[in-house]
Amino acid sequence: MYPKKSIRELPKDLRPREKLSKFGASALSDEELLAVIFGSGTKEEDVISLASKVVSLGWETLMAMDVEELSRKIKGLGFAKACQLKAVIELAKRINDPYGDFKISNPQDAYDFVRKKVLFDERREHLIALYLTPTNKVVDYEVVAIGKMNALYAEPKDILYTAVKRACSSLIVLHNHPKGDARPSKEDIEFTKRLKQACELLGFELLDHIIINQKDFFSFRSNGLL
C-alpha cells in the first residue's frame, strides 16, 4: 500500500478545494470531500490525515455516534468538527429521503403536508398526488395539473405514471376549490371513481381524495365516498 501524502505535499491543483473546483465534486474521494468540509486540520495533523482517520471508521459507525462520542474517540476532531460531521450526515439523509419519517395517518396530516409543500395560486385549481409506502410514509409528491378557477382536467394515468415509477403502495390525491366550499362536485365524484378503478387495476390503493379551500377540507374517505 502506498503511503498517503499530506496536503502540504500535494501539488496545489490536486489539493481538495482546487481539485473540486477544477474537476467537480464527483472526482474527490470521501476523505477529500470531508477535508473540504473541515477546512483545516490541527497543529499536529493536517486536514487530509484527519479526514482519513474519520472515514476509516465507516459511515454506519459514524452515523451511530453522537457529537460527544466523535470528539472524544477521534483524536484531533474536536467539538466544532464533530458538529460539522453530524450536520453533513444529516443533510445526506435528508437529501436521500427528503420527507424523513413523515407519515399520513389521517386527512388532516395530508392537508397539513400539502399546505406546507405546495404554493397555491388561489385563482386556479391544483391537483396534487401524494405517493406512500405500505406504512403511509411519503415517498414523493407532485403537482399533477393546474387548471382554471373552476375547472381542472387530468386523467388517472397522469397520476399513476409516477405511482408506478416510484413503486409506491398507495396514494392520496388532493385538489383545491379556489372559491366556494370544499364539497365535491359531480365531476369530482366521477373522477374519483375512475381513479379508484385505475388504481385497483394496477395494484395501488387510493386512500383518499381530499378537496381543500382556504379554510377547510373535505375527505372522501371520512364521508363514506371511498
Side-chain angles (χ1 to χ4, degrees), residues 8 28 32 59 70 75 78 85-86 94 99 106 110 113 117 156 160 176 189 192 200 207 219 224 226:
R8 297 180 188 89
L28 274 65
E32 290 170 323
W59 291 110
L70 288 167
K75 186 179 178 181
L85 179 59
K86 292 302 290 185
R94 294 186 187 186
Y99 311 115
N106 51 57
F113 181 90
K117 297 289 184 180
L160 295 177
N176 66 314
I189 294 171
T192 306
E200 290 173 347
L207 294 179
S219 162
L226 259 180

Side-chain angles (χ1 to χ4, degrees), residues 31-48:
E31 291 90 344
E32 290 170 323
L33 289 170
L34 202 53
V36 172
I37 292 161
F38 286 161
S40 62
T42 65
K43 290 181 179 179
E44 296 79 20
E45 195 168 28
D46 69 73
V47 69
I48 286 285

Side-chain angles (χ1 to χ4, degrees), residues 72-84:
R72 185 178 70 249
K73 292 185 178 181
I74 304 175
K75 186 179 178 181
L77 188 64
F79 175 76
K81 285 184 172 59
C83 287
Q84 287 177 311

Side-chain angles (χ1 to χ4, degrees), residues 73-177:
K73 292 185 178 181
I74 304 175
K75 186 179 178 181
L77 188 64
F79 175 76
K81 285 184 172 59
C83 287
Q84 287 177 311
L85 179 59
K86 292 302 290 185
V88 167
I89 290 172
E90 179 60 26
L91 275 174
K93 286 168 59 180
R94 294 186 187 186
I95 291 168
N96 186 54
D97 186 8
Y99 311 115
D101 292 323
F102 195 96
K103 292 184 179 181
I104 305 293
S105 301
N106 51 57
Q108 184 70 51
D109 289 343
Y111 173 81
D112 292 341
F113 181 90
V114 166
R115 277 298 185 187
K116 289 177 182 177
K117 297 289 184 180
V118 179
L119 182 62
F120 287 92
D121 175 353
E122 296 295 349
R123 298 168 300 172
R124 299 180 177 184
E125 288 194 10
H126 297 62
L127 177 65
I128 302 103
L130 306 183
Y131 303 98
L132 311 175
T133 69
T135 56
N136 291 351
K137 278 184 59 177
V138 178
V139 293
D140 204 354
Y141 79 94
E142 69 173 333
V143 178
V144 178
I146 299 176
K148 297 179 181 179
M149 174 68 77
N150 297 310
L152 177 71
Y153 180 80
E155 289 290 342
K157 65 181 180 181
D158 300 326
I159 297 168
L160 295 177
Y161 172 79
T162 300
V164 172
K165 185 169 68 173
R166 298 293 282 136
C168 73
S169 175
S170 57
L171 57 145
I172 295 171
V173 294
L174 306 93
H175 83 273
N176 66 314
H177 282 176

